[in-house]
Amino acid sequence: MSPGSDDRLDELALRAAAGDRVALSDLVRATQADVWRLCAHLVDRQSADDLTQDVYARAITALPRFRGDSPVRLWLLGIARHVCVDEVRRRSRRRRIGSRRDRDVSEVSPDATGQVDLDDLLAGLDPDQRAAFVLTQVLGLRYAEAAEALGCPVGTVRSRVSRARQTLVTALAPEADDGREATAD
């Protein structure tokens, strides 16, 4: 999105906060795809619709307090991140009870065509690394914008993205590169 569109979105948010239902509808329509994609990557595609709905339910409740100090798009992505963190925590508690464990990036393997699913790879990243990676590399936010959405310093976002990239590169490296020599029969 261009800087001008952020101004338009902020205007829509302020009008929606004042009770303009058309502005609220336009705001949701303009931001929903990014919110959905973040939820899909931070949790999973199957839950993204419900999580997106939860994001907007929280945002609509908080909208009267939106002052426009930061772009509404970043404000919404911050809410989305919190919704996703809450969902991951809820699932983690349930997993501990059921003794399931999260998927490790090293467990992801290519399909018959040699392709690897991005969602599977991202699911194995540390949640903080995954959030920083998705915001910057998938949604295309600048590092400063991602830092604002995540509520942390820009340097932290940069290091999380760097560690995520390294983890993903290592996971995608051929087996011969992991210290084991391939043997020919």
Side-chain angles (χ1 to χ4, degrees), residues 7 11 27 32-33 35 56 75 80 92 130 149 167 170 175:
D7 292 341
E11 178 190 330
L27 176 65
Q32 188 172 13
V35 169
Y56 285 103
W75 180 73
S92 293
R130 182 170 57 240
T167 299
T170 300
E175 284 187 34

Side-chain angles (χ1 to χ4, degrees), residues 13-185:
L14 293 171
R15 287 183 17 222
D20 184 337
R21 291 185 170 274
V22 173
L24 177 60
S25 178
D26 290 347
L27 176 65
V28 170
R29 228 182 340 275
T31 58
Q32 188 172 13
D34 282 345
V35 169
W36 187 92
R37 286 173 49 199
L38 182 61
C39 292
H41 286 297
L42 294 185
V43 181
D44 61 49
R45 288 179 179 273
Q46 296 77 20
S47 304
D49 288 339
D50 291 338
L51 293 169
T52 299
Q53 186 174 0
D54 192 19
V55 169
Y56 285 103
R58 290 186 191 189
I60 289 167
T61 302
L63 203 50
R65 295 184 303 278
F66 177 74
R67 296 185 320 259
D69 295 338
S70 66
V72 71
R73 180 172 177 241
L74 299 181
W75 180 73
L76 284 168
L77 292 173
I79 292 171
R81 182 177 122 339
H82 287 290
V83 166
C84 291
V85 166
D86 290 347
E87 177 65 13
V88 168
R89 282 186 188 135
R90 185 182 65 73
R91 289 181 183 190
S92 293
R93 282 192 294 272
R94 196 177 331 139
R95 279 189 192 129
R96 279 193 299 265
I97 293 169
S99 74
R100 283 182 53 202
R101 66 186 191 72
D102 288 333
R103 184 174 208 171
D104 186 354
V105 173
S106 64
E107 295 173 6
V108 176
S109 58
D111 63 15
T113 65
Q115 299 294 312
V116 176
D117 187 73
L118 177 63
D119 292 333
D120 288 342
L121 284 170
L122 294 178
L125 290 174
D126 167 84
D128 290 333
Q129 291 175 17
R130 182 170 57 240
F133 186 86
V134 169
L135 287 171
T136 59
Q137 307 305 301
V138 178
L139 296 181
L141 267 63
R142 294 186 309 264
Y143 283 93
E145 293 172 325
E148 189 170 336
L150 295 172
C152 65
V154 173
T156 301
V157 172
R158 289 184 188 283
S159 66
R160 288 176 181 172
V161 169
S162 177
R163 285 191 301 262
R165 281 186 183 142
Q166 185 57 49
T167 299
L168 294 173
V169 166
T170 300
L172 293 171
E175 284 187 34
D177 291 343
D178 70 3
R180 291 178 281 165
E181 290 296 321
T183 57
D185 289 315

